[in-house]
Amino acid sequence: MCGIVGYIGARNSQDVLLDGLKKLEYRGYDSAGVAVFTSNGLEVKKAKGRLAVLESQLASSPLIGTAGIGHTRWATHGKPSDVNSHPHTDNGMRFSVVHNGIIENYLTLKEELSAKGHRFVSETDTEVLSHLLADLYDGSLVRTVQKAVKKLKGAFALAVMYVHEPDQLVAVRQASPLIIGVGQGENFIGSDIPAVLNYTRDIYILNDGEMAVLTRNGVELMDLDGNNISRELFVVDWDLSTAEKGGFDHFMLKEIHEQPKAYRDTMGGRIDVQANKIILDELNLKQEDIRALEKIHIVACGTAYHAGLVGRSVIESLTRIPVESDVASEYRYRSPIINERTLVIVVSQSGETADTLAALREAKRYGAKVLAITNVVGSSVAREADEVLFTWAGPEIAVASTKAYSSQLIAFYLLGLHLAAQRDSVKAGDLAELIHALQKLPEQVEELLQQAPAIKSLAEAFAARSSVFFIGRGLDYAAAMEGSLKLKEISYIHSEAYAAGELKHGTLALIEQGVPVIALATQEELLEKMISNIKEVKARDAFVLGIVMEGGADLADCADQVLKIPRTMPLLAPALSAIPLQLLAYYASLARGNDVDKPRNLAKSVTVE
């Protein structure tokens, strides 16, 4: 997620902005920039790379002024570059904007503004905002910002400057975090609290649809219609380390709680609600290409491989195209049977996973078209693939993946629905029902997160065990594999996942009194068989935790405890069942005294074979 800092006061703003941006480096970024009101007007400096690159430029040619805005960019629209870095300005260098989030209708706005003579220099959605402000300006920066944001669709946190109103900054929040720091004779904007903690602990936390007007002597809060808002200051009593984690104890827990936003961002701009269809404009696959596909291979490692297992079932059931899933480290060594009518989907959070990159190159050598699902614009996988479907999870700091995995699931749902529509393989009514259910997932995840205290109690009981088993059928088996991986990688408890129907072929020998078995039972067409499998382990005195859908299976006679996920369509269940499994792993690790964010022997991005 990008970082925003703003300052107006008596200090040299360049120093404050750089300091604030350094405090946001933990969020991840690929470029940085600042805009400052100087004696020469509005001046901007920005650079691709780490903050040190920008600092070096400013050291030799500083921007002197007491008001400014700054930004660290994590690329979404357009590769990392000096030009695509923020802040962005209009052609007349009157307005400067920094922005977090995604403007879903930026292409439409860009076309309208281009027709009026505006010239765009970057690939970003953000640059549209500076031109839109210039086009709408009516003599008041505040009114102009209000008019502009009402034309935007999507998620945004904004900080805006206007050269002819240098005594104020304007900030707006809509579905992307933004805070205001209040000082004595100075005020601050930040996308997160750490950006301002060196200067103040008095904070206003903006809600969606709210804006703030900052001067040196005060802050005025209002809604987008200009109605004033009264709010008590929030006084931060955390240390900086806790503040970076948003008040959570660990990055992993913070990232688990960021999943509703990650779901919304990954879906953002890709669903036409009125037409009930998926829009993947970033893909160049034509309908005839999609109809000509004979098979699909999904290739990935670790958690991304488990997302691919869900993706395999989703795509195969919706399109009726044969789909294979492969571990990337094995794929190129088995001489895969692929040709120009094969679509190879590679999945990598970082876009730099060595085995996945090698598999991508092998697939292209055989003439297959490669589509990448990745979280990082400008990564090797993104550059080398023929097509890219980005997940907008934002940077993930904890080694154990949570929001990156679940965003990959969302990407697979979007892709599967898109392919199905192009092939006419699913009835329009069924597609519409799935799309409607998909849009409800973020809210349902928020409901699930309220179960954290109950899950914590269960996890603490599991923490003393030496082995835990996960079982499931169909999509529940794929979800069980990811749940098992999460538990073992951060709690160090031995954990295995099995297709429930395979228990009698050997695994039952490991089940004895008190052994925890986590049984996923969300797939309605398989419930009867799944219940039989649960009873098999219960007959051997296992402790069974059942995970079911609300209004679904009643496991009272065969499970010791039950967790319920909100009701959704069975195909979408893995996007919900992942949440309690992540929390279970987190709290088990915590109970065992482990370093949750940095499990032993593991790295975030595996760039070696």
Side-chain angles (χ1 to χ4, degrees):
M1 186 185 294
C2 309
I4 287 176
V5 179
Y7 174 76
I8 186 166
R11 306 175 197 253
N12 182 14
S13 62
Q14 172 186 299
D15 297 337
V16 178
L17 298 175
L18 287 173
D19 181 63
L21 293 176
K22 287 177 182 177
K23 298 301 186 294
L24 298 177
E25 283 190 287
Y26 70 91
R27 297 159 68 93
Y29 66 100
D30 51 55
S31 56
V34 296
V36 174
F37 285 128
T38 74
S39 58
N40 297 321
L42 183 60
E43 294 191 65
V44 176
K45 285 200 177 172
K46 50 189 184 176
K48 174 186 173 182
R50 310 307 290 175
L51 265 172
V53 178
L54 179 65
E55 276 190 292
S56 176
Q57 293 183 8
L58 290 170
S60 60
S61 180
L63 301 182
I64 307 300
T66 57
I69 55 178
H71 192 266
T72 49
R73 177 178 186 254
W74 192 80
T76 57
H77 295 67
K79 64 185 179 182
S81 70
D82 291 354
V83 171
N84 287 333
S85 305
H86 298 212
H88 286 284
T89 62
D90 64 304
N91 296 141
M93 287 290 292
R94 295 180 298 157
F95 292 87
S96 185
V97 178
V98 292
H99 161 232
N100 290 352
I102 296 172
I103 305 303
E104 297 174 8
N105 61 330
Y106 85 101
L107 285 175
T108 301
L109 293 170
K110 189 172 184 177
E111 289 174 3
E112 293 173 357
L113 291 164
S114 294
K116 294 181 177 181
H118 291 262
R119 293 175 288 104
F120 293 85
V121 297
S122 79
E123 303 169 85
T124 68
D125 55 340
T126 303
E127 189 188 359
V128 169
L129 301 175
S130 55
H131 289 271
L132 183 61
L133 290 166
D135 187 67
L136 295 175
Y137 186 67
D138 65 358
S140 163
L141 176 60
V142 173
R143 284 199 309 268
T144 301
V145 171
Q146 290 169 345
K147 287 192 294 184
V149 297
K150 289 176 182 178
K151 290 180 173 288
L152 305 181
K153 295 179 181 178
F156 46 86
L158 309 176
V160 181
M161 302 165 59
Y162 176 54
V163 68
H164 296 307
E165 297 184 43
D167 294 324
Q168 64 179 357
L169 305 179
V170 176
V172 183
R173 169 181 172 156
Q174 181 62 50
S176 194
L178 202 64
I179 61 97
I180 305 298
V182 178
Q184 296 294 319
E186 59 184 1
N187 292 294
F188 308 81
I189 302 169
S191 52
D192 208 348
I193 290 172
V196 305
L197 274 188
N198 275 351
Y199 307 97
T200 182
R201 290 180 175 265
D202 294 335
I203 304 294
Y204 288 124
I205 299 174
L206 296 186
N207 296 320
D208 289 347
E210 293 181 351
M211 62 188 297
V213 180
L214 288 73
T215 64
R216 288 168 178 79
N217 298 317
V219 174
E220 186 178 5
L221 304 183
M222 63 185 72
D223 63 23
L224 297 181
D225 292 319
N227 300 308
N228 288 333
I229 295 170
S230 177
R231 178 166 301 145
E232 289 186 9
L233 285 166
F234 169 66
V235 180
V236 179
D237 58 4
W238 315 324
D239 60 23
L240 183 60
S241 174
T242 303
E244 288 178 348
K245 301 180 183 79
F248 293 98
D249 291 334
H250 297 91
F251 281 112
M252 183 179 177
L253 187 60
K254 177 176 182 280
E255 288 157 7
I256 289 171
H257 282 262
E258 286 175 342
Q259 286 174 114
K261 181 179 185 302
Y263 281 27
R264 291 186 179 103
D265 287 349
T266 300
M267 290 184 218
R270 291 166 168 168
I271 299 177
D272 185 330
V273 178
Q274 293 180 333
N276 267 319
K277 69 177 184 178
I278 304 299
I279 302 172
L280 299 182
D281 287 338
E282 60 262 61
L283 300 185
N284 295 313
L285 285 171
K286 298 180 175 61
Q287 185 175 43
E288 55 266 31
D289 299 326
I290 294 171
R291 288 176 178 264
L293 291 174
E294 294 177 349
K295 55 186 172 181
I296 294 174
H297 290 184
I298 300 174
V299 187
C301 299
T303 284
Y305 171 70
H306 295 153
L309 292 176
V310 175
R312 179 183 69 186
S313 294
V314 168
I315 293 173
E316 205 164 55
S317 66
L318 291 175
T319 69
R320 307 313 300 157
I321 303 171
V323 184
E324 298 179 22
S325 294
D326 271 275
V327 175
S329 57
E330 295 289 330
Y331 186 68
R332 64 183 171 131
Y333 299 113
R334 71 172 182 86
S335 298
I337 302 171
I338 54 182
N339 57 35
E340 67 279 359
R341 288 178 176 260
T342 306
L343 177 66
V344 176
I345 302 173
V346 297
V347 191
S348 169
Q349 187 280 138
S350 68
E352 302 295 344
T353 311
D355 287 316
T356 305
L357 190 55
L360 180 158
R361 291 166 179 164
E362 185 76 354
K364 293 191 78 172
R365 189 171 72 84
Y366 279 97
K369 185 174 284 293
V370 178
L371 185 153
I373 294 177
T374 185
N375 198 35
V376 181
V377 176
S379 61
S380 297
V381 163
R383 291 196 311 270
E384 295 191 29
D386 301 297
E387 307 281 350
V388 186
L389 188 60
F390 288 109
T391 56
W392 303 126
E396 195 175 57
I397 309 301
V399 168
S401 179
T402 52
K403 63 177 182 172
Y405 164 76
S406 51
S407 295
Q408 289 163 0
L409 297 187
I410 299 301
F412 271 118
Y413 291 132
L414 293 169
L415 181 61
L417 290 164
H418 175 69
L419 296 178
Q422 298 300 307
R423 290 174 66 91
D424 294 323
S425 54
V426 177
K427 293 178 181 177
D430 293 338
L431 279 177
E433 187 179 3
L434 272 165
I435 291 169
H436 178 69
L438 188 65
Q439 293 173 278
K440 292 174 64 177
L441 289 178
E443 182 181 337
Q444 292 176 316
V445 172
E446 288 168 348
E447 290 177 36
L448 269 171
L449 291 169
Q450 301 305 310
Q451 296 188 36
I455 295 170
K456 182 182 181 197
S457 297
L458 280 168
E460 289 170 347
F462 284 9
R465 308 301 304 192
S466 58
S467 289
V468 175
F469 295 93
F470 290 72
I471 59 174
R473 284 177 172 266
L475 280 167
D476 281 336
Y477 174 43
M481 292 178 73
E482 174 58 15
S484 174
L485 176 62
K486 278 292 145 299
L487 185 66
K488 73 178 72 171
E489 70 182 336
I490 62 170
S491 75
Y492 316 145
I493 298 171
H494 169 256
S495 174
E496 300 293 340
Y498 292 96
E502 292 295 295
L503 285 168
K504 61 182 70 69
H505 297 289
T507 311
L508 276 176
L510 299 172
I511 305 300
E512 57 187 1
Q513 185 175 10
V515 169
V517 175
I518 298 170
L520 283 79
T522 70
Q523 301 300 297
E524 292 176 342
E525 73 278 12
L526 298 170
L527 279 179
E528 288 185 5
K529 293 186 181 297
M530 188 62 201
I531 289 172
S532 295
N533 299 138
I534 294 172
K535 288 184 175 181
E536 287 173 353
V537 296
K538 194 59 194 165
R540 275 79 179 172
D541 293 324
F543 176 91
V544 176
L545 168 63
I547 297 180
V548 301
M549 264 201 271
E550 290 175 351
D554 181 4
L555 303 183
D557 63 340
C558 59
D560 296 280
Q561 288 192 256
V562 175
L563 288 174
K564 294 183 178 181
I565 65 172
R567 188 153 195 83
T568 188
M569 299 184 72
L571 198 65
L572 305 181
L576 296 178
S577 61
I579 311 305
L581 299 182
Q582 292 167 355
L583 288 168
L584 194 71
Y586 170 79
Y587 286 118
S589 177
L590 199 64
R592 290 167 70 93
N594 298 336
D595 186 339
V596 174
D597 287 335
K598 297 179 181 178
R600 67 190 183 198
N601 304 330
L602 300 178
K604 183 62 184 170
S605 180
V606 184
T607 56
V608 295
E609 290 191 59

